[in-house]
């Protein structure tokens, strides 16, 4: 019998990946370049794949299936961080979110990879093998925007705006590591602000879930799709 | 001047003889202006269609009812963007840069396939598009494997390979729905009723091969009607086998194996592909808006590349 906190931990990650997976695929067909369209779509597929693997583990403990965990809970039970819930952002903010999330996720995955729970450590390692490429992609864009007269102010404003949300991805004890990594890369300090914590949902999440489950809810529970 | 013209004429004649006897053309080879123009326009329309084909499906990534369907649909749409990328590269090699193609597309100066001018209303549409629209497309694309322009034919091999998976995905969505609840089954029937007319127009009006300059240059090798007959022969029996109906009382297979059908409204096809379809303007407006939004990103990256 596992403690409920293990399920909560799985759902923190899974909900983040599912919701961000969708937010990233909002660029499908309309990214600034076809190459970026393909890249964000790959990243979205990885994230939804990670979510599925995590939901499967959670579902086993909850005695249900991954789709039911992913789609059939009330909004209030979603554990995603508000950072991933924000509706499709314009490009500078998309890149800021992408990089802040991937950096925070790396901090979190390093801890999980060292977990005594072999199953959790294993899935974290598997996820991290793909996240490496997301981080490379995000950093490439950070460098590109920082190196551009037009991109830099846009990115800086986006980072400052999203910073409280980024802090909210992690628990208290992991936040200092995120601050260190982000400030080292940017070569500047970020505003000293209160995090927007996990569980405090943006209204975007309710709208998102309403639409996300609209087809699924149109047939009685248990229908195959 | 006269000698130049005579020389060009000779070259054109031997080029025509070359392609008509199965010869291939590579990017750096000399080609008549008319060939280059027709080829460019044709491949550009193909690229535009792959790109515009993303729009009717993209909203359904969010609404896909299971994690597996969400992954499959995202991957399918990504394939299409990838196809557009490859095809615009071929067009670029023929002399028209990608950015110009995209400008022409949003300005309504170039065309895209008729089926992408219609709205997607239900999850049933997602299945019908992936199964039958992609099935219709793969028939044309398989014929293009024999295109005289070798770089295009080579890309078509990859595209056909990927499209065949889309059809399997689409068929699986359809099979799951028709074996589900009555309402799920009705989703398929209702979508099929709406999509049948656009599907029948998909391969174009029946131009005799001898009158089709695209066939003369062996850019295309399959007459339109032959493609449509192949589609009907391959898919109508499958649709009927699932207990679904098609909204054409004249549709039947003759003893000679030729399918009879109600003549599609070719004027509607012309109107639709020239930007007067039910969703044409909305889709172009969406693409214009999103292009304006990310304009500064292109400036930034292009400045860096310069």
């Amino acid at each position: 019998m596992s403690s409920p906190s293990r399920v909560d931990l799985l759902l923190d990650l899974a909900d983040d990946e599912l919701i961000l997976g969708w937010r990233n695929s909002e660029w499908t067909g309309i990214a600034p370049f076809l190459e970026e369209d393909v890249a964000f779509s790959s990243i979205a597929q990885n994230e939804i794949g990670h979510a599925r693997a995590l939901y499967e583990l959670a579902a086993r403990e909850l005695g249900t299936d991954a789709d039911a965990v992913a789609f059939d809970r009330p909004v209030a039970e979603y554990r995603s961080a508000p950072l991933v819930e924000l509706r499709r952002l314009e490009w500078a903010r998309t890149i800021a979110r992408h990089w802040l999330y991937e950096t925070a996720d790396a901090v979190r995955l390093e801890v999980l990879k060292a977990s005594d729970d072999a199953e959790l450590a294993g899935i974290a390692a598997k996820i991290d093998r793909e996240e490496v490429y997301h981080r490379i992609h995000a950093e490439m864009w950070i460098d590109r925007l920082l190196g551009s007269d037009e991109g830099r102010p846009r990115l800086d404003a986006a980072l400052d705006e999203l910073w409280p949300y980024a802090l909210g991805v992690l628990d208290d004890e992991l936040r200092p590591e995120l601050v260190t990594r982000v400030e080292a890369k940017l070569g500047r300090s970020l505003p000293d602000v209160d995090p927007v914590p996990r569980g405090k949902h943006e209204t975007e999440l309710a709208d998102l879930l309403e639409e996300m489950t609209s087809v699924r809810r149109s047939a009685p529970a248990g229908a195959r799709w | 001047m006269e000698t130049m013209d005579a020389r060009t004429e000779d070259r054109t004649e031997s080029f025509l003889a070359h392609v008509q006897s199965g010869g291939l053309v590579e990017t750096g080879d000399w080609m008549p202006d008319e060939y280059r123009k027709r080829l460019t326009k044709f491949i550009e329309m193909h690229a535009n269609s792959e790109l515009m084909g993303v729009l009717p499906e993209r909203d359904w990534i969010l609404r896909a009812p299971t994690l597996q369907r969400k992954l499959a649909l995202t991957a399918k749409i990504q394939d299409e963007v990838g196809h557009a990328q490859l095809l615009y590269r071929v067009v670029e090699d023929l002399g028209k840069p990608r950015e110009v193609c995209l400008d022409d597309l949003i300005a309504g100066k170039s065309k895209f396939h008729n089926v992408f001018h219609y709205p997607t209303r239900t999850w049933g549409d997602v299945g019908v598009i992936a199964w039958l629209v992609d099935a219709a497309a793969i028939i044309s694309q398989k014929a293009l494997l024999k295109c005289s322009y070798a770089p295009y034919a080579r890309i078509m091999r990859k595209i056909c390979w990927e499209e065949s998976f889309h059809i399997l995905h689409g068929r699986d969505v359809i099979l799951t729905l028709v074996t589900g609840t009555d309402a799920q089954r009705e989703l398929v029937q209702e979508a099929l009723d709406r999509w049948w007319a656009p599907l029948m127009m998909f391969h174009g009006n029946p131009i005799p091969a001898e009158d089709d300059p695209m066939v003369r240059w062996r850019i295309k090798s399959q007459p339109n009607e032959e493609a449509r007959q192949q589609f009907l022969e391959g898919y109508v029996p499958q649709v009927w086998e699932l207990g679904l109906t098609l909204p054409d009382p004249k549709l039947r297979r003759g003893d000679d194996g030729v399918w009879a059908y109600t003549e599609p409204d070719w004027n509607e096809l012309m109107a639709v592909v020239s930007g007067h379809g039910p969703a044409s303007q909305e889709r172009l407006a969406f693409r214009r808006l999103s292009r304006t939004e990310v304009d500064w990103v292109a400036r930034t990256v292009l400045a860096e590349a310069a």
Side-chain angles (χ1 to χ4, degrees):
Chain A
M1 182 78 185
S2 296
S3 65
S5 66
R6 186 179 192 248
V7 170
D8 286 352
L9 188 62
L10 288 167
L11 293 181
D12 283 357
L13 263 94
D15 289 345
D16 280 356
E17 295 275 306
L18 176 69
I19 305 298
L20 188 61
W22 159 247
R23 289 305 184 200
N24 283 336
S25 64
E26 280 182 300
W27 282 105
T28 299
I30 54 170
F33 300 99
L34 295 177
E35 289 74 7
E36 278 311 309
D37 210 304
V38 173
F40 263 98
S41 182
S42 285
I43 292 170
Q45 286 170 59
N46 286 343
E47 280 155 354
I48 294 169
H50 299 164
R52 181 170 61 174
L54 294 158
Y55 284 132
E56 276 166 4
L57 276 188
R60 211 179 55 201
E61 300 200 15
L62 296 167
T64 177
D65 64 65
D67 286 321
V69 184
F71 301 118
D72 300 344
R73 283 174 293 155
V75 182
E77 286 180 23
Y78 277 79
R79 301 185 56 85
S80 43
L83 178 69
V84 301
E85 294 169 10
L86 301 170
R87 197 178 288 285
R88 179 168 68 85
L89 307 167
E90 56 75 48
W91 192 251
R93 287 153 88 224
T94 294
I95 295 301
R97 167 164 66 189
H98 178 34
W99 177 63
L100 290 170
Y101 177 80
E102 296 299 346
T103 309
D105 198 35
V107 173
R108 168 169 75 177
L109 287 173
E110 279 165 30
V111 174
L112 288 175
K113 274 157 70 177
S115 164
D116 293 336
D117 183 331
E119 203 170 34
L120 209 52
I123 199 167
K126 194 164 177 281
I127 289 174
D128 199 42
R129 277 199 291 276
E130 291 183 343
E131 297 290 351
V132 170
Y133 297 100
H134 302 184
R135 292 198 285 274
I136 292 171
H137 176 259
E139 282 175 16
M140 177 198 79
W141 270 100
I142 292 289
D143 290 338
R144 171 174 275 170
L145 294 183
L146 288 178
S148 134
D149 290 343
E150 192 170 358
R152 181 165 195 127
R154 286 176 187 264
L155 179 68
D156 276 336
L159 287 166
D160 286 351
E161 180 193 331
L162 295 176
W163 182 234
Y165 291 91
L167 289 169
V169 174
L170 298 175
D171 294 336
D172 291 347
E173 69 273 22
L174 294 180
R175 278 180 201 138
E177 182 58 25
L178 176 65
V179 176
T180 305
R181 291 186 191 190
V182 167
E183 292 189 346
K185 172 81 183 164
L186 296 178
R188 70 173 174 99
S189 54
L190 280 149
D192 184 14
V193 289
D194 289 332
V196 180
R198 189 176 288 282
K200 178 188 172 299
H201 295 301
E202 300 292 321
T203 53
E204 274 106 329
L205 184 68
D207 298 343
L208 175 78
L209 290 173
E210 175 76 18
E211 195 175 344
M212 190 184 260
T213 59
S214 57
V215 171
R216 191 174 166 82
R217 281 183 289 109
S218 69
R224 289 177 59 244
W225 286 100
Chain B
M1 276 314 280
E2 205 181 328
T3 53
M4 272 293 282
D5 283 348
R7 191 164 162 258
T8 307
E9 213 170 286
D10 281 352
R11 288 182 93 176
T12 302
E13 260 174 46
S14 60
F15 180 91
L16 193 59
H18 173 67
V19 294
Q20 284 183 347
S21 63
L24 297 176
V25 182
E26 292 289 346
T27 312
D29 294 351
W30 181 85
M31 58 186 91
D33 285 346
E34 191 197 336
Y35 180 81
R36 185 185 296 274
K37 237 169 90 183
R38 287 190 186 276
L39 185 66
T40 305
K41 194 173 162 194
F42 187 79
I43 305 174
E44 184 182 0
M45 178 178 170
H46 186 176
N48 289 345
S49 301
E50 296 278 1
L51 192 60
M52 293 305 285
V54 168
L55 300 186
E57 290 182 295
R58 50 168 264 134
D59 292 344
W60 297 92
I61 298 175
L62 175 59
R63 300 177 200 136
T66 67
L67 292 160
Q68 179 54 36
R69 294 286 186 228
K70 209 179 273 294
L71 280 168
L73 186 60
T74 312
K76 171 190 192 297
I77 299 176
Q78 183 189 34
D79 285 348
E80 281 150 13
V81 179
H83 299 167
Q85 188 186 352
L86 290 170
L87 291 164
Y88 282 127
R89 198 176 294 159
V90 177
V91 175
E92 192 141 27
D93 286 341
L94 286 167
K96 185 165 183 180
R98 190 208 280 182
E99 290 302 306
V100 180
C101 294
L102 295 174
D103 286 343
D104 283 355
L105 172 63
I106 60 176
K109 286 188 200 161
S110 54
K111 293 193 168 82
F112 55 99
H113 239 298
N114 76 309
V115 283
F116 305 122
H117 291 262
Y118 292 85
T120 38
R121 299 194 201 285
T122 75
W123 181 248
D125 294 38
V126 175
V128 170
I129 291 173
W131 185 31
L132 296 180
V133 171
D134 283 30
I138 208 171
I139 287 168
S140 309
Q141 287 164 348
K142 276 202 173 138
L144 289 166
L145 292 170
K146 289 181 278 181
C147 178
S148 57
Y149 189 58
Y152 187 41
R154 281 193 290 269
I155 278 183
M156 213 52 64
R157 256 183 261 158
K158 175 183 162 64
I159 293 183
C160 286
W161 167 254
E162 292 185 350
E163 295 288 353
S164 61
F165 286 100
H166 300 175
I167 295 177
L168 292 178
H169 153 77
R171 195 175 148 73
D172 191 57
V173 169
I174 296 289
L175 281 177
T176 308
L177 292 175
V178 297
T179 54
T181 66
D182 289 350
Q184 284 176 311
R185 190 183 177 81
E186 182 52 29
L187 277 184
V188 178
Q189 184 61 62
E190 190 274 333
L192 209 47
D193 290 344
R194 270 184 295 113
W195 283 94
W196 190 246
L199 278 166
M200 287 300 288
M201 294 174 192
F202 184 90
H203 292 104
N205 55 337
I207 316 171
E210 56 275 20
D211 298 343
D212 191 342
M214 300 301 284
V215 176
R216 193 164 74 98
W217 291 109
R218 215 168 53 75
I219 294 171
K220 277 171 64 177
S221 57
Q222 186 185 47
N224 293 349
E225 185 55 22
E226 191 182 307
R228 187 166 23 252
Q229 286 290 331
Q230 212 178 314
F231 173 71
L232 294 169
E233 179 72 13
Y235 291 90
V236 172
Q238 292 193 50
V239 170
W240 284 345
E241 204 177 308
L242 295 175
L244 298 161
T245 60
L246 291 166
D248 180 356
K250 284 196 188 160
L251 190 64
R252 60 178 282 277
R253 189 179 194 274
D255 296 336
D256 52 359
V258 177
W259 284 83
Y261 56 84
T262 304
E263 184 83 359
D265 181 351
W266 301 118
N267 291 328
E268 182 185 324
L269 176 65
M270 282 314 294
V272 164
V273 295
S274 53
H276 304 286
S280 322
Q281 290 310 315
E282 176 197 325
R283 296 239 164 93
L284 286 172
F286 179 66
R287 193 162 283 296
R288 269 194 290 275
L289 179 70
S290 48
R291 198 162 151 81
T292 312
E293 262 180 43
V294 295
D295 200 33
W296 71 271
V297 187
R299 273 201 310 276
T300 301
V301 174
L302 294 176
E304 179 190 298

